[in-house]
PDB file of all heavy atoms in Angstrom:
ATOM      1  N   MET A  17      -9.829  12.701 -14.749  1.00  0.00           N
ATOM      2  CA  MET A  17      -8.472  12.533 -15.350  1.00  0.00           C
ATOM      3  C   MET A  17      -7.341  12.692 -14.356  1.00  0.00           C
ATOM      4  O   MET A  17      -6.402  11.929 -14.251  1.00  0.00           O
ATOM      5  CB  MET A  17      -8.317  13.520 -16.497  1.00  0.00           C
ATOM      6  CG  MET A  17      -6.838  13.250 -17.214  1.00  0.00           C
ATOM      7  SD  MET A  17      -6.735  14.385 -18.640  1.00  0.00           S
ATOM      8  CE  MET A  17      -8.055  13.824 -19.730  1.00  0.00           C
ATOM      9  N   ALA A  18      -7.456  13.806 -13.570  1.00  0.00           N
ATOM     10  CA  ALA A  18      -6.433  14.063 -12.524  1.00  0.00           C
ATOM     11  C   ALA A  18      -6.293  13.008 -11.469  1.00  0.00           C
ATOM     12  O   ALA A  18      -5.253  12.564 -11.147  1.00  0.00           O
ATOM     13  CB  ALA A  18      -6.585  15.464 -11.908  1.00  0.00           C
ATOM     14  N   THR A  19      -7.428  12.589 -11.020  1.00  0.00           N
ATOM     15  CA  THR A  19      -7.534  11.609  -9.936  1.00  0.00           C
ATOM     16  C   THR A  19      -6.974  10.275 -10.446  1.00  0.00           C
ATOM     17  O   THR A  19      -6.370   9.487  -9.843  1.00  0.00           O
ATOM     18  CB  THR A  19      -8.989  11.435  -9.344  1.00  0.00           C
ATOM     19  OG1 THR A  19      -9.265  12.619  -8.846  1.00  0.00           O
ATOM     20  CG2 THR A  19      -8.947  10.395  -8.237  1.00  0.00           C
ATOM     21  N   SER A  20      -7.482   9.911 -11.631  1.00  0.00           N
ATOM     22  CA  SER A  20      -7.079   8.734 -12.308  1.00  0.00           C
ATOM     23  C   SER A  20      -5.567   8.681 -12.513  1.00  0.00           C
ATOM     24  O   SER A  20      -4.919   7.632 -12.208  1.00  0.00           O
ATOM     25  CB  SER A  20      -7.753   8.506 -13.686  1.00  0.00           C
ATOM     26  OG  SER A  20      -7.340   7.313 -14.327  1.00  0.00           O
ATOM     27  N   LEU A  21      -5.007   9.656 -12.966  1.00  0.00           N
ATOM     28  CA  LEU A  21      -3.559   9.841 -13.188  1.00  0.00           C
ATOM     29  C   LEU A  21      -2.761   9.580 -11.888  1.00  0.00           C
ATOM     30  O   LEU A  21      -1.760   8.843 -11.721  1.00  0.00           O
ATOM     31  CB  LEU A  21      -3.176  11.082 -13.822  1.00  0.00           C
ATOM     32  CG  LEU A  21      -1.686  11.351 -14.088  1.00  0.00           C
ATOM     33  CD1 LEU A  21      -1.054  10.241 -14.895  1.00  0.00           C
ATOM     34  CD2 LEU A  21      -1.428  12.740 -14.745  1.00  0.00           C
ATOM     35  N   MET A  22      -3.214  10.376 -10.847  1.00  0.00           N
ATOM     36  CA  MET A  22      -2.615  10.231  -9.436  1.00  0.00           C
ATOM     37  C   MET A  22      -2.676   8.895  -8.917  1.00  0.00           C
ATOM     38  O   MET A  22      -1.769   8.248  -8.371  1.00  0.00           O
ATOM     39  CB  MET A  22      -3.270  11.244  -8.577  1.00  0.00           C
ATOM     40  CG  MET A  22      -2.654  11.165  -7.132  1.00  0.00           C
ATOM     41  SD  MET A  22      -0.863  11.681  -7.091  1.00  0.00           S
ATOM     42  CE  MET A  22      -0.983  13.315  -7.651  1.00  0.00           C
ATOM     43  N   GLY A  23      -3.901   8.223  -9.206  1.00  0.00           N
ATOM     44  CA  GLY A  23      -4.137   6.814  -8.677  1.00  0.00           C
ATOM     45  C   GLY A  23      -3.165   5.877  -9.446  1.00  0.00           C
ATOM     46  O   GLY A  23      -2.714   4.937  -8.776  1.00  0.00           O
ATOM     47  N   LYS A  24      -2.989   6.091 -10.725  1.00  0.00           N
ATOM     48  CA  LYS A  24      -2.197   5.113 -11.531  1.00  0.00           C
ATOM     49  C   LYS A  24      -0.638   5.318 -10.924  1.00  0.00           C
ATOM     50  O   LYS A  24       0.023   4.268 -10.847  1.00  0.00           O
ATOM     51  CB  LYS A  24      -2.145   5.444 -12.955  1.00  0.00           C
ATOM     52  CG  LYS A  24      -3.495   5.007 -13.623  1.00  0.00           C
ATOM     53  CD  LYS A  24      -3.441   5.510 -15.022  1.00  0.00           C
ATOM     54  CE  LYS A  24      -4.795   5.083 -15.756  1.00  0.00           C
ATOM     55  NZ  LYS A  24      -4.746   5.383 -17.219  1.00  0.00           N
ATOM     56  N   ILE A  25      -0.268   6.547 -10.685  1.00  0.00           N
ATOM     57  CA  ILE A  25       1.083   6.710 -10.164  1.00  0.00           C
ATOM     58  C   ILE A  25       1.262   6.104  -8.792  1.00  0.00           C
ATOM     59  O   ILE A  25       2.212   5.340  -8.594  1.00  0.00           O
ATOM     60  CB  ILE A  25       1.475   8.254 -10.133  1.00  0.00           C
ATOM     61  CG1 ILE A  25       1.466   8.800 -11.510  1.00  0.00           C
ATOM     62  CG2 ILE A  25       2.743   8.487  -9.451  1.00  0.00           C
ATOM     63  CD1 ILE A  25       1.654  10.313 -11.656  1.00  0.00           C
ATOM     64  N   MET A  26       0.219   6.330  -7.981  1.00  0.00           N
ATOM     65  CA  MET A  26       0.384   5.712  -6.636  1.00  0.00           C
ATOM     66  C   MET A  26       0.312   4.223  -6.646  1.00  0.00           C
ATOM     67  O   MET A  26       0.995   3.488  -5.871  1.00  0.00           O
ATOM     68  CB  MET A  26      -0.828   6.288  -5.682  1.00  0.00           C
ATOM     69  CG  MET A  26      -0.654   7.767  -5.352  1.00  0.00           C
ATOM     70  SD  MET A  26      -2.097   8.185  -4.348  1.00  0.00           S
ATOM     71  CE  MET A  26      -1.812   7.190  -2.855  1.00  0.00           C
ATOM     72  N   GLY A  27      -0.447   3.596  -7.676  1.00  0.00           N
ATOM     73  CA  GLY A  27      -0.506   2.228  -7.763  1.00  0.00           C
ATOM     74  C   GLY A  27       0.779   1.565  -8.079  1.00  0.00           C
ATOM     75  O   GLY A  27       1.031   0.491  -7.747  1.00  0.00           O
ATOM     76  N   LYS A  28       1.656   2.301  -8.828  1.00  0.00           N
ATOM     77  CA  LYS A  28       2.987   1.868  -9.079  1.00  0.00           C
ATOM     78  C   LYS A  28       3.839   1.593  -7.907  1.00  0.00           C
ATOM     79  O   LYS A  28       4.705   0.696  -7.830  1.00  0.00           O
ATOM     80  CB  LYS A  28       3.796   2.806 -10.094  1.00  0.00           C
ATOM     81  CG  LYS A  28       3.182   2.818 -11.490  1.00  0.00           C
ATOM     82  CD  LYS A  28       3.561   1.571 -12.195  1.00  0.00           C
ATOM     83  CE  LYS A  28       3.025   1.626 -13.641  1.00  0.00           C
ATOM     84  NZ  LYS A  28       3.413   0.319 -14.392  1.00  0.00           N
ATOM     85  N   PHE A  29       3.557   2.365  -6.816  1.00  0.00           N
ATOM     86  CA  PHE A  29       4.313   2.266  -5.633  1.00  0.00           C
ATOM     87  C   PHE A  29       3.559   1.587  -4.441  1.00  0.00           C
ATOM     88  O   PHE A  29       4.089   1.652  -3.384  1.00  0.00           O
ATOM     89  CB  PHE A  29       4.839   3.595  -5.193  1.00  0.00           C
ATOM     90  CG  PHE A  29       5.655   4.305  -6.323  1.00  0.00           C
ATOM     91  CD1 PHE A  29       5.030   5.234  -7.240  1.00  0.00           C
ATOM     92  CD2 PHE A  29       6.981   4.008  -6.514  1.00  0.00           C
ATOM     93  CE1 PHE A  29       5.765   5.925  -8.087  1.00  0.00           C
ATOM     94  CE2 PHE A  29       7.779   4.597  -7.520  1.00  0.00           C
ATOM     95  CZ  PHE A  29       7.052   5.637  -8.407  1.00  0.00           C
ATOM     96  N   MET A  30       2.398   1.142  -4.697  1.00  0.00           N
ATOM     97  CA  MET A  30       1.489   0.738  -3.621  1.00  0.00           C
ATOM     98  C   MET A  30       2.028  -0.471  -2.913  1.00  0.00           C
ATOM     99  O   MET A  30       1.962  -0.463  -1.623  1.00  0.00           O
ATOM    100  CB  MET A  30       0.090   0.364  -4.181  1.00  0.00           C
ATOM    101  CG  MET A  30      -0.920   0.073  -3.073  1.00  0.00           C
ATOM    102  SD  MET A  30      -1.159   1.552  -2.047  1.00  0.00           S
ATOM    103  CE  MET A  30      -1.947   2.706  -3.176  1.00  0.00           C
ATOM    104  N   ASP A  31       2.644  -1.363  -3.549  1.00  0.00           N
ATOM    105  CA  ASP A  31       3.187  -2.554  -2.810  1.00  0.00           C
ATOM    106  C   ASP A  31       4.278  -2.172  -1.860  1.00  0.00           C
ATOM    107  O   ASP A  31       4.198  -2.685  -0.664  1.00  0.00           O
ATOM    108  CB  ASP A  31       3.696  -3.592  -3.859  1.00  0.00           C
ATOM    109  CG  ASP A  31       3.978  -4.917  -3.222  1.00  0.00           C
ATOM    110  OD1 ASP A  31       3.077  -5.791  -3.217  1.00  0.00           O
ATOM    111  OD2 ASP A  31       5.033  -5.183  -2.766  1.00  0.00           O
ATOM    112  N   GLY A  32       5.144  -1.284  -2.288  1.00  0.00           N
ATOM    113  CA  GLY A  32       6.182  -0.823  -1.335  1.00  0.00           C
ATOM    114  C   GLY A  32       5.612   0.015  -0.354  1.00  0.00           C
ATOM    115  O   GLY A  32       6.224   0.083   0.873  1.00  0.00           O
ATOM    116  N   PHE A  33       4.670   0.841  -0.594  1.00  0.00           N
ATOM    117  CA  PHE A  33       4.103   1.814   0.327  1.00  0.00           C
ATOM    118  C   PHE A  33       3.235   1.158   1.357  1.00  0.00           C
ATOM    119  O   PHE A  33       3.434   1.369   2.549  1.00  0.00           O
ATOM    120  CB  PHE A  33       3.323   2.838  -0.416  1.00  0.00           C
ATOM    121  CG  PHE A  33       2.609   3.783   0.339  1.00  0.00           C
ATOM    122  CD1 PHE A  33       3.245   4.741   1.257  1.00  0.00           C
ATOM    123  CD2 PHE A  33       1.280   3.920   0.574  1.00  0.00           C
ATOM    124  CE1 PHE A  33       2.647   5.716   1.954  1.00  0.00           C
ATOM    125  CE2 PHE A  33       0.519   4.793   1.404  1.00  0.00           C
ATOM    126  CZ  PHE A  33       1.321   5.704   2.028  1.00  0.00           C
ATOM    127  N   LEU A  34       2.331   0.240   0.921  1.00  0.00           N
ATOM    128  CA  LEU A  34       1.341  -0.358   1.812  1.00  0.00           C
ATOM    129  C   LEU A  34       1.715  -1.746   2.343  1.00  0.00           C
ATOM    130  O   LEU A  34       1.225  -2.110   3.323  1.00  0.00           O
ATOM    131  CB  LEU A  34       0.032  -0.373   1.148  1.00  0.00           C
ATOM    132  CG  LEU A  34      -1.301  -0.628   1.947  1.00  0.00           C
ATOM    133  CD1 LEU A  34      -1.478   0.579   3.020  1.00  0.00           C
ATOM    134  CD2 LEU A  34      -2.569  -0.618   1.045  1.00  0.00           C
ATOM    135  N   GLY A  35       2.501  -2.409   1.590  1.00  0.00           N
ATOM    136  CA  GLY A  35       2.929  -3.764   1.937  1.00  0.00           C
ATOM    137  C   GLY A  35       3.484  -3.855   3.373  1.00  0.00           C
ATOM    138  O   GLY A  35       3.099  -4.833   4.045  1.00  0.00           O
ATOM    139  N   PRO A  36       4.414  -3.092   3.849  1.00  0.00           N
ATOM    140  CA  PRO A  36       4.883  -3.152   5.104  1.00  0.00           C
ATOM    141  C   PRO A  36       3.857  -3.015   6.170  1.00  0.00           C
ATOM    142  O   PRO A  36       3.900  -3.723   7.324  1.00  0.00           O
ATOM    143  CB  PRO A  36       5.860  -2.102   5.224  1.00  0.00           C
ATOM    144  CG  PRO A  36       6.363  -1.835   3.755  1.00  0.00           C
ATOM    145  CD  PRO A  36       5.151  -2.061   3.059  1.00  0.00           C
ATOM    146  N   ASP A  37       2.809  -2.198   5.965  1.00  0.00           N
ATOM    147  CA  ASP A  37       1.720  -2.036   6.876  1.00  0.00           C
ATOM    148  C   ASP A  37       0.956  -3.332   6.967  1.00  0.00           C
ATOM    149  O   ASP A  37       0.581  -3.799   8.145  1.00  0.00           O
ATOM    150  CB  ASP A  37       0.850  -0.944   6.537  1.00  0.00           C
ATOM    151  CG  ASP A  37       1.404   0.466   6.665  1.00  0.00           C
ATOM    152  OD1 ASP A  37       2.361   0.559   7.510  1.00  0.00           O
ATOM    153  OD2 ASP A  37       1.004   1.403   6.027  1.00  0.00           O
ATOM    154  N   TYR A  38       0.586  -4.000   5.812  1.00  0.00           N
ATOM    155  CA  TYR A  38      -0.098  -5.288   5.931  1.00  0.00           C
ATOM    156  C   TYR A  38       0.728  -6.340   6.567  1.00  0.00           C
ATOM    157  O   TYR A  38       0.138  -7.160   7.369  1.00  0.00           O
ATOM    158  CB  TYR A  38      -0.265  -5.570   4.460  1.00  0.00           C
ATOM    159  CG  TYR A  38      -1.654  -5.225   3.977  1.00  0.00           C
ATOM    160  CD1 TYR A  38      -2.108  -3.909   4.073  1.00  0.00           C
ATOM    161  CD2 TYR A  38      -2.486  -6.078   3.252  1.00  0.00           C
ATOM    162  CE1 TYR A  38      -3.289  -3.529   3.548  1.00  0.00           C
ATOM    163  CE2 TYR A  38      -3.700  -5.687   2.773  1.00  0.00           C
ATOM    164  CZ  TYR A  38      -4.137  -4.322   2.996  1.00  0.00           C
ATOM    165  OH  TYR A  38      -5.367  -3.966   2.443  1.00  0.00           O
ATOM    166  N   GLU A  39       2.053  -6.326   6.365  1.00  0.00           N
ATOM    167  CA  GLU A  39       2.860  -7.323   7.084  1.00  0.00           C
ATOM    168  C   GLU A  39       2.862  -7.096   8.548  1.00  0.00           C
ATOM    169  O   GLU A  39       2.764  -8.060   9.379  1.00  0.00           O
ATOM    170  CB  GLU A  39       4.297  -7.206   6.505  1.00  0.00           C
ATOM    171  CG  GLU A  39       4.449  -7.727   5.077  1.00  0.00           C
ATOM    172  CD  GLU A  39       5.832  -7.227   4.494  1.00  0.00           C
ATOM    173  OE1 GLU A  39       6.656  -6.775   5.273  1.00  0.00           O
ATOM    174  OE2 GLU A  39       5.947  -7.446   3.318  1.00  0.00           O
ATOM    175  N   ARG A  40       2.942  -5.834   9.001  1.00  0.00           N
ATOM    176  CA  ARG A  40       2.863  -5.631  10.406  1.00  0.00           C
ATOM    177  C   ARG A  40       1.483  -5.934  11.108  1.00  0.00           C
ATOM    178  O   ARG A  40       1.455  -6.518  12.131  1.00  0.00           O
ATOM    179  CB  ARG A  40       3.107  -4.059  10.698  1.00  0.00           C
ATOM    180  CG  ARG A  40       3.377  -3.728  12.219  1.00  0.00           C
ATOM    181  CD  ARG A  40       3.982  -2.389  12.406  1.00  0.00           C
ATOM    182  NE  ARG A  40       3.129  -1.337  11.871  1.00  0.00           N
ATOM    183  CZ  ARG A  40       3.215  -0.602  10.733  1.00  0.00           C
ATOM    184  NH1 ARG A  40       4.301  -0.889  10.019  1.00  0.00           N
ATOM    185  NH2 ARG A  40       2.518   0.387  10.404  1.00  0.00           N
ATOM    186  N   GLY A  41       0.410  -5.653  10.299  1.00  0.00           N
ATOM    187  CA  GLY A  41      -0.952  -5.950  10.781  1.00  0.00           C
ATOM    188  C   GLY A  41      -1.029  -7.462  10.846  1.00  0.00           C
ATOM    189  O   GLY A  41      -1.700  -7.940  11.925  1.00  0.00           O
ATOM    190  N   LEU A  42      -0.612  -8.259  10.007  1.00  0.00           N
ATOM    191  CA  LEU A  42      -0.703  -9.675  10.041  1.00  0.00           C
ATOM    192  C   LEU A  42       0.085 -10.238  11.256  1.00  0.00           C
ATOM    193  O   LEU A  42      -0.449 -11.198  11.879  1.00  0.00           O
ATOM    194  CB  LEU A  42      -0.234 -10.382   8.777  1.00  0.00           C
ATOM    195  CG  LEU A  42      -1.228 -10.196   7.545  1.00  0.00           C
ATOM    196  CD1 LEU A  42      -0.563 -10.711   6.298  1.00  0.00           C
ATOM    197  CD2 LEU A  42      -2.526 -11.028   7.732  1.00  0.00           C
ATOM    198  N   THR A  43       1.207  -9.640  11.478  1.00  0.00           N
ATOM    199  CA  THR A  43       2.072 -10.064  12.599  1.00  0.00           C
ATOM    200  C   THR A  43       1.229  -9.880  13.985  1.00  0.00           C
ATOM    201  O   THR A  43       1.285 -10.676  14.848  1.00  0.00           O
ATOM    202  CB  THR A  43       3.333  -9.333  12.558  1.00  0.00           C
ATOM    203  OG1 THR A  43       4.141  -9.667  11.414  1.00  0.00           O
ATOM    204  CG2 THR A  43       4.246  -9.845  13.815  1.00  0.00           C
ATOM    205  N   LYS A  44       0.602  -8.623  13.984  1.00  0.00           N
ATOM    206  CA  LYS A  44      -0.139  -8.352  15.210  1.00  0.00           C
ATOM    207  C   LYS A  44      -1.283  -9.166  15.367  1.00  0.00           C
ATOM    208  O   LYS A  44      -1.675  -9.594  16.395  1.00  0.00           O
ATOM    209  CB  LYS A  44      -0.652  -6.805  15.162  1.00  0.00           C
ATOM    210  CG  LYS A  44       0.633  -5.823  15.200  1.00  0.00           C
ATOM    211  CD  LYS A  44       0.102  -4.426  15.262  1.00  0.00           C
ATOM    212  CE  LYS A  44      -0.592  -4.101  16.604  1.00  0.00           C
ATOM    213  NZ  LYS A  44      -1.021  -2.749  16.690  1.00  0.00           N
ATOM    214  N   LEU A  45      -2.023  -9.509  14.222  1.00  0.00           N
ATOM    215  CA  LEU A  45      -3.187 -10.413  14.305  1.00  0.00           C
ATOM    216  C   LEU A  45      -2.740 -11.816  14.722  1.00  0.00           C
ATOM    217  O   LEU A  45      -3.442 -12.477  15.488  1.00  0.00           O
ATOM    218  CB  LEU A  45      -3.815 -10.562  12.885  1.00  0.00           C
ATOM    219  CG  LEU A  45      -5.105 -11.443  12.707  1.00  0.00           C
ATOM    220  CD1 LEU A  45      -6.130 -11.037  13.581  1.00  0.00           C
ATOM    221  CD2 LEU A  45      -5.462 -11.477  11.215  1.00  0.00           C
ATOM    222  N   LYS A  46      -1.606 -12.290  14.312  1.00  0.00           N
ATOM    223  CA  LYS A  46      -0.962 -13.543  14.650  1.00  0.00           C
ATOM    224  C   LYS A  46      -0.914 -13.597  16.187  1.00  0.00           C
ATOM    225  O   LYS A  46      -1.254 -14.552  16.851  1.00  0.00           O
ATOM    226  CB  LYS A  46       0.267 -13.733  14.001  1.00  0.00           C
ATOM    227  CG  LYS A  46       0.981 -15.040  14.407  1.00  0.00           C
ATOM    228  CD  LYS A  46       2.357 -15.199  13.659  1.00  0.00           C
ATOM    229  CE  LYS A  46       3.231 -16.320  14.114  1.00  0.00           C
ATOM    230  NZ  LYS A  46       2.637 -17.628  13.640  1.00  0.00           N
ATOM    231  N   ALA A  47      -0.384 -12.488  16.757  1.00  0.00           N
ATOM    232  CA  ALA A  47      -0.116 -12.489  18.213  1.00  0.00           C
ATOM    233  C   ALA A  47      -1.441 -12.468  18.958  1.00  0.00           C
ATOM    234  O   ALA A  47      -1.599 -13.154  19.983  1.00  0.00           O
ATOM    235  CB  ALA A  47       0.763 -11.161  18.553  1.00  0.00           C
TER     236      ALA A  47
END
């Protein structure tokens, strides 16, 4: 229950939290 709740909360912010890393990684892969 505790992990699930934490995961759900983190999921709400995952796009903003992890998205910039993905964008930077793709830019580096492109280079």
Side-chain angles (χ1 to χ4, degrees):
M17 182 179 297
T19 300
S20 177
L21 178 59
M22 181 62 68
K24 289 179 179 180
I25 293 174
M26 291 181 64
K28 287 292 185 181
F29 304 98
M30 189 59 67
D31 193 87
F33 174 71
L34 197 57
D37 289 338
Y38 267 48
E39 292 166 9
R40 188 167 66 256
L42 286 173
T43 298
K44 295 183 67 175
L45 179 60
K46 176 181 174 73

